Amino acid sequence: MNLKLELFVLPVSDVDRTRAFYEKAGFRLDLAVDVSDDYRVVHLTPPGSEASIIFGKGLTTATPGSAQGLYLVVTDIEQARAELVGRGVEVSEVFHDGKGVFFHGHDAGDVVHNGQGQERIVGPHPERASYGSYATFSDPDGNGWVLQEVTQRAPGR
């Protein structure tokens, strides 16, 4: 049995502003339906992804901006960051976690100890190890995204 995660609901406050942000970031518009003043749906897919996001009005009771740690896996972190920045998206500098391989959070600065055993250091992972380099950005409501560089996966993946 395959269980494919293909859709994530984002809590947002302004549908049109959010749609413009994700389209500017290069997400493909799959569907936009205005059923009524109280029910709107926008469905977009990141470039190269099988998973999509959906947001709108009347879809969720979650607080706008409360979705955090949404990972977008890329094969070249510097190229992906440059493309987003070129599209007008504010993206952090590339960084790596000096004490592990799974970073979460949006702290800024050259070295940040986040109290959870993580150490954010500016620059890609020194060996460019898969799962080791990151950059972050947020949508207009503060929903937080993480770019993660993966160049080699475990066998069978």
Side-chain angles (χ1 to χ4, degrees), residues 68-90:
Q68 299 297 314
L70 303 165
Y71 274 68
L72 293 170
V73 173
V74 300
T75 56
D76 184 323
I77 191 78
E78 291 170 326
Q79 179 184 6
R81 180 189 180 278
E83 184 170 330
L84 284 169
V85 168
R87 291 175 164 277
V89 178
E90 188 174 320

PDB file of all heavy atoms in Angstrom, residues 68-90:
ATOM      1  N   GLN A  68       4.526  25.725  10.356  1.00  0.00           N
ATOM      2  CA  GLN A  68       5.973  25.911  10.429  1.00  0.00           C
ATOM      3  C   GLN A  68       6.686  24.622  10.054  1.00  0.00           C
ATOM      4  O   GLN A  68       6.135  23.534  10.193  1.00  0.00           O
ATOM      5  CB  GLN A  68       6.382  26.333  11.846  1.00  0.00           C
ATOM      6  CG  GLN A  68       5.778  27.636  12.300  1.00  0.00           C
ATOM      7  CD  GLN A  68       6.218  28.816  11.446  1.00  0.00           C
ATOM      8  OE1 GLN A  68       7.396  28.981  11.136  1.00  0.00           O
ATOM      9  NE2 GLN A  68       5.266  29.649  11.042  1.00  0.00           N
ATOM     10  N   GLY A  69       7.925  24.748   9.597  1.00  0.00           N
ATOM     11  CA  GLY A  69       8.728  23.572   9.282  1.00  0.00           C
ATOM     12  C   GLY A  69       8.252  22.842   8.045  1.00  0.00           C
ATOM     13  O   GLY A  69       8.284  21.620   7.984  1.00  0.00           O
ATOM     14  N   LEU A  70       7.811  23.582   7.042  1.00  0.00           N
ATOM     15  CA  LEU A  70       7.394  22.992   5.772  1.00  0.00           C
ATOM     16  C   LEU A  70       8.639  22.879   4.907  1.00  0.00           C
ATOM     17  O   LEU A  70       9.243  23.892   4.548  1.00  0.00           O
ATOM     18  CB  LEU A  70       6.341  23.875   5.109  1.00  0.00           C
ATOM     19  CG  LEU A  70       5.095  24.143   5.949  1.00  0.00           C
ATOM     20  CD1 LEU A  70       4.302  25.303   5.375  1.00  0.00           C
ATOM     21  CD2 LEU A  70       4.257  22.893   6.026  1.00  0.00           C
ATOM     22  N   TYR A  71       9.060  21.666   4.612  1.00  0.00           N
ATOM     23  CA  TYR A  71      10.325  21.442   3.914  1.00  0.00           C
ATOM     24  C   TYR A  71      10.140  21.324   2.409  1.00  0.00           C
ATOM     25  O   TYR A  71       9.281  20.592   1.931  1.00  0.00           O
ATOM     26  CB  TYR A  71      10.988  20.170   4.439  1.00  0.00           C
ATOM     27  CG  TYR A  71      11.831  20.421   5.666  1.00  0.00           C
ATOM     28  CD1 TYR A  71      11.240  20.786   6.860  1.00  0.00           C
ATOM     29  CD2 TYR A  71      13.207  20.313   5.624  1.00  0.00           C
ATOM     30  CE1 TYR A  71      11.997  21.036   7.986  1.00  0.00           C
ATOM     31  CE2 TYR A  71      13.981  20.552   6.740  1.00  0.00           C
ATOM     32  CZ  TYR A  71      13.374  20.921   7.919  1.00  0.00           C
ATOM     33  OH  TYR A  71      14.138  21.177   9.032  1.00  0.00           O
ATOM     34  N   LEU A  72      10.982  22.027   1.678  1.00  0.00           N
ATOM     35  CA  LEU A  72      11.097  21.903   0.235  1.00  0.00           C
ATOM     36  C   LEU A  72      12.500  21.370  -0.029  1.00  0.00           C
ATOM     37  O   LEU A  72      13.494  22.035   0.284  1.00  0.00           O
ATOM     38  CB  LEU A  72      10.906  23.254  -0.451  1.00  0.00           C
ATOM     39  CG  LEU A  72       9.514  23.858  -0.356  1.00  0.00           C
ATOM     40  CD1 LEU A  72       9.523  25.297  -0.857  1.00  0.00           C
ATOM     41  CD2 LEU A  72       8.522  23.022  -1.147  1.00  0.00           C
ATOM     42  N   VAL A  73      12.593  20.171  -0.556  1.00  0.00           N
ATOM     43  CA  VAL A  73      13.889  19.537  -0.794  1.00  0.00           C
ATOM     44  C   VAL A  73      14.412  19.960  -2.161  1.00  0.00           C
ATOM     45  O   VAL A  73      13.678  19.937  -3.149  1.00  0.00           O
ATOM     46  CB  VAL A  73      13.768  17.999  -0.690  1.00  0.00           C
ATOM     47  CG1 VAL A  73      15.060  17.316  -1.096  1.00  0.00           C
ATOM     48  CG2 VAL A  73      13.384  17.617   0.741  1.00  0.00           C
ATOM     49  N   VAL A  74      15.690  20.365  -2.192  1.00  0.00           N
ATOM     50  CA  VAL A  74      16.334  20.828  -3.414  1.00  0.00           C
ATOM     51  C   VAL A  74      17.662  20.094  -3.594  1.00  0.00           C
ATOM     52  O   VAL A  74      18.238  19.598  -2.629  1.00  0.00           O
ATOM     53  CB  VAL A  74      16.562  22.358  -3.385  1.00  0.00           C
ATOM     54  CG1 VAL A  74      15.232  23.090  -3.242  1.00  0.00           C
ATOM     55  CG2 VAL A  74      17.500  22.761  -2.254  1.00  0.00           C
ATOM     56  N   THR A  75      18.144  20.032  -4.827  1.00  0.00           N
ATOM     57  CA  THR A  75      19.426  19.370  -5.073  1.00  0.00           C
ATOM     58  C   THR A  75      20.597  20.342  -5.019  1.00  0.00           C
ATOM     59  O   THR A  75      21.738  19.916  -4.872  1.00  0.00           O
ATOM     60  CB  THR A  75      19.436  18.653  -6.439  1.00  0.00           C
ATOM     61  OG1 THR A  75      19.118  19.600  -7.453  1.00  0.00           O
ATOM     62  CG2 THR A  75      18.428  17.509  -6.447  1.00  0.00           C
ATOM     63  N   ASP A  76      20.326  21.649  -5.130  1.00  0.00           N
ATOM     64  CA  ASP A  76      21.380  22.659  -5.037  1.00  0.00           C
ATOM     65  C   ASP A  76      20.817  23.837  -4.250  1.00  0.00           C
ATOM     66  O   ASP A  76      20.051  24.643  -4.778  1.00  0.00           O
ATOM     67  CB  ASP A  76      21.834  23.089  -6.428  1.00  0.00           C
ATOM     68  CG  ASP A  76      23.006  24.060  -6.401  1.00  0.00           C
ATOM     69  OD1 ASP A  76      23.060  24.931  -5.499  1.00  0.00           O
ATOM     70  OD2 ASP A  76      23.870  23.955  -7.283  1.00  0.00           O
ATOM     71  N   ILE A  77      21.196  23.921  -2.980  1.00  0.00           N
ATOM     72  CA  ILE A  77      20.634  24.915  -2.074  1.00  0.00           C
ATOM     73  C   ILE A  77      20.947  26.345  -2.523  1.00  0.00           C
ATOM     74  O   ILE A  77      20.093  27.219  -2.447  1.00  0.00           O
ATOM     75  CB  ILE A  77      21.122  24.671  -0.620  1.00  0.00           C
ATOM     76  CG1 ILE A  77      20.338  25.517   0.391  1.00  0.00           C
ATOM     77  CG2 ILE A  77      22.608  24.919  -0.468  1.00  0.00           C
ATOM     78  CD1 ILE A  77      18.990  24.988   0.718  1.00  0.00           C
ATOM     79  N   GLU A  78      22.154  26.569  -3.015  1.00  0.00           N
ATOM     80  CA  GLU A  78      22.520  27.926  -3.427  1.00  0.00           C
ATOM     81  C   GLU A  78      21.765  28.348  -4.682  1.00  0.00           C
ATOM     82  O   GLU A  78      21.319  29.491  -4.792  1.00  0.00           O
ATOM     83  CB  GLU A  78      24.037  28.027  -3.605  1.00  0.00           C
ATOM     84  CG  GLU A  78      24.742  27.921  -2.247  1.00  0.00           C
ATOM     85  CD  GLU A  78      26.242  27.760  -2.333  1.00  0.00           C
ATOM     86  OE1 GLU A  78      26.726  27.109  -3.291  1.00  0.00           O
ATOM     87  OE2 GLU A  78      26.920  28.274  -1.432  1.00  0.00           O
ATOM     88  N   GLN A  79      21.592  27.445  -5.620  1.00  0.00           N
ATOM     89  CA  GLN A  79      20.836  27.742  -6.838  1.00  0.00           C
ATOM     90  C   GLN A  79      19.361  27.990  -6.504  1.00  0.00           C
ATOM     91  O   GLN A  79      18.748  28.931  -7.022  1.00  0.00           O
ATOM     92  CB  GLN A  79      20.964  26.607  -7.839  1.00  0.00           C
ATOM     93  CG  GLN A  79      20.193  26.838  -9.113  1.00  0.00           C
ATOM     94  CD  GLN A  79      20.265  25.649 -10.068  1.00  0.00           C
ATOM     95  OE1 GLN A  79      20.799  24.594  -9.753  1.00  0.00           O
ATOM     96  NE2 GLN A  79      19.714  25.826 -11.246  1.00  0.00           N
ATOM     97  N   ALA A  80      18.779  27.151  -5.644  1.00  0.00           N
ATOM     98  CA  ALA A  80      17.372  27.314  -5.264  1.00  0.00           C
ATOM     99  C   ALA A  80      17.154  28.642  -4.549  1.00  0.00           C
ATOM    100  O   ALA A  80      16.189  29.366  -4.834  1.00  0.00           O
ATOM    101  CB  ALA A  80      16.923  26.152  -4.387  1.00  0.00           C
ATOM    102  N   ARG A  81      18.060  28.980  -3.639  1.00  0.00           N
ATOM    103  CA  ARG A  81      17.956  30.250  -2.926  1.00  0.00           C
ATOM    104  C   ARG A  81      18.049  31.410  -3.911  1.00  0.00           C
ATOM    105  O   ARG A  81      17.244  32.345  -3.873  1.00  0.00           O
ATOM    106  CB  ARG A  81      19.046  30.374  -1.868  1.00  0.00           C
ATOM    107  CG  ARG A  81      18.964  31.679  -1.112  1.00  0.00           C
ATOM    108  CD  ARG A  81      20.164  31.941  -0.202  1.00  0.00           C
ATOM    109  NE  ARG A  81      19.969  33.204   0.469  1.00  0.00           N
ATOM    110  CZ  ARG A  81      20.241  34.398  -0.074  1.00  0.00           C
ATOM    111  NH1 ARG A  81      20.723  34.489  -1.299  1.00  0.00           N
ATOM    112  NH2 ARG A  81      20.029  35.511   0.623  1.00  0.00           N
ATOM    113  N   ALA A  82      19.028  31.357  -4.815  1.00  0.00           N
ATOM    114  CA  ALA A  82      19.216  32.435  -5.782  1.00  0.00           C
ATOM    115  C   ALA A  82      17.980  32.609  -6.668  1.00  0.00           C
ATOM    116  O   ALA A  82      17.587  33.746  -6.974  1.00  0.00           O
ATOM    117  CB  ALA A  82      20.456  32.168  -6.637  1.00  0.00           C
ATOM    118  N   GLU A  83      17.364  31.505  -7.059  1.00  0.00           N
ATOM    119  CA  GLU A  83      16.171  31.605  -7.901  1.00  0.00           C
ATOM    120  C   GLU A  83      15.024  32.273  -7.151  1.00  0.00           C
ATOM    121  O   GLU A  83      14.340  33.147  -7.690  1.00  0.00           O
ATOM    122  CB  GLU A  83      15.736  30.236  -8.409  1.00  0.00           C
ATOM    123  CG  GLU A  83      14.572  30.343  -9.364  1.00  0.00           C
ATOM    124  CD  GLU A  83      14.239  29.058 -10.098  1.00  0.00           C
ATOM    125  OE1 GLU A  83      15.142  28.240 -10.341  1.00  0.00           O
ATOM    126  OE2 GLU A  83      13.052  28.877 -10.398  1.00  0.00           O
ATOM    127  N   LEU A  84      14.810  31.878  -5.901  1.00  0.00           N
ATOM    128  CA  LEU A  84      13.745  32.500  -5.118  1.00  0.00           C
ATOM    129  C   LEU A  84      14.019  33.981  -4.887  1.00  0.00           C
ATOM    130  O   LEU A  84      13.120  34.813  -5.021  1.00  0.00           O
ATOM    131  CB  LEU A  84      13.561  31.771  -3.786  1.00  0.00           C
ATOM    132  CG  LEU A  84      12.839  30.436  -3.867  1.00  0.00           C
ATOM    133  CD1 LEU A  84      12.952  29.678  -2.549  1.00  0.00           C
ATOM    134  CD2 LEU A  84      11.379  30.628  -4.251  1.00  0.00           C
ATOM    135  N   VAL A  85      15.254  34.308  -4.535  1.00  0.00           N
ATOM    136  CA  VAL A  85      15.614  35.712  -4.329  1.00  0.00           C
ATOM    137  C   VAL A  85      15.401  36.491  -5.628  1.00  0.00           C
ATOM    138  O   VAL A  85      14.873  37.606  -5.619  1.00  0.00           O
ATOM    139  CB  VAL A  85      17.066  35.837  -3.815  1.00  0.00           C
ATOM    140  CG1 VAL A  85      17.552  37.277  -3.866  1.00  0.00           C
ATOM    141  CG2 VAL A  85      17.166  35.294  -2.385  1.00  0.00           C
ATOM    142  N   GLY A  86      15.779  35.902  -6.751  1.00  0.00           N
ATOM    143  CA  GLY A  86      15.564  36.536  -8.045  1.00  0.00           C
ATOM    144  C   GLY A  86      14.104  36.763  -8.364  1.00  0.00           C
ATOM    145  O   GLY A  86      13.758  37.646  -9.153  1.00  0.00           O
ATOM    146  N   ARG A  87      13.237  35.974  -7.760  1.00  0.00           N
ATOM    147  CA  ARG A  87      11.794  36.133  -7.959  1.00  0.00           C
ATOM    148  C   ARG A  87      11.192  37.121  -6.950  1.00  0.00           C
ATOM    149  O   ARG A  87       9.987  37.329  -6.927  1.00  0.00           O
ATOM    150  CB  ARG A  87      11.098  34.779  -7.828  1.00  0.00           C
ATOM    151  CG  ARG A  87      11.413  33.823  -8.959  1.00  0.00           C
ATOM    152  CD  ARG A  87      10.783  32.452  -8.680  1.00  0.00           C
ATOM    153  NE  ARG A  87      10.737  31.636  -9.856  1.00  0.00           N
ATOM    154  CZ  ARG A  87       9.791  31.693 -10.795  1.00  0.00           C
ATOM    155  NH1 ARG A  87       8.808  32.550 -10.683  1.00  0.00           N
ATOM    156  NH2 ARG A  87       9.833  30.894 -11.838  1.00  0.00           N
ATOM    157  N   GLY A  88      12.047  37.672  -6.072  1.00  0.00           N
ATOM    158  CA  GLY A  88      11.573  38.660  -5.113  1.00  0.00           C
ATOM    159  C   GLY A  88      11.182  38.102  -3.760  1.00  0.00           C
ATOM    160  O   GLY A  88      10.566  38.799  -2.957  1.00  0.00           O
ATOM    161  N   VAL A  89      11.545  36.847  -3.479  1.00  0.00           N
ATOM    162  CA  VAL A  89      11.238  36.238  -2.183  1.00  0.00           C
ATOM    163  C   VAL A  89      12.403  36.491  -1.228  1.00  0.00           C
ATOM    164  O   VAL A  89      13.565  36.299  -1.598  1.00  0.00           O
ATOM    165  CB  VAL A  89      10.990  34.717  -2.324  1.00  0.00           C
ATOM    166  CG1 VAL A  89      10.731  34.076  -0.971  1.00  0.00           C
ATOM    167  CG2 VAL A  89       9.817  34.465  -3.271  1.00  0.00           C
ATOM    168  N   GLU A  90      12.108  36.929  -0.020  1.00  0.00           N
ATOM    169  CA  GLU A  90      13.143  37.152   0.993  1.00  0.00           C
ATOM    170  C   GLU A  90      13.513  35.800   1.612  1.00  0.00           C
ATOM    171  O   GLU A  90      12.682  35.166   2.265  1.00  0.00           O
ATOM    172  CB  GLU A  90      12.633  38.113   2.059  1.00  0.00           C
ATOM    173  CG  GLU A  90      13.690  38.546   3.040  1.00  0.00           C
ATOM    174  CD  GLU A  90      13.184  39.618   3.985  1.00  0.00           C
ATOM    175  OE1 GLU A  90      12.458  40.522   3.539  1.00  0.00           O
ATOM    176  OE2 GLU A  90      13.513  39.514   5.184  1.00  0.00           O
TER     177      GLU A  90
END
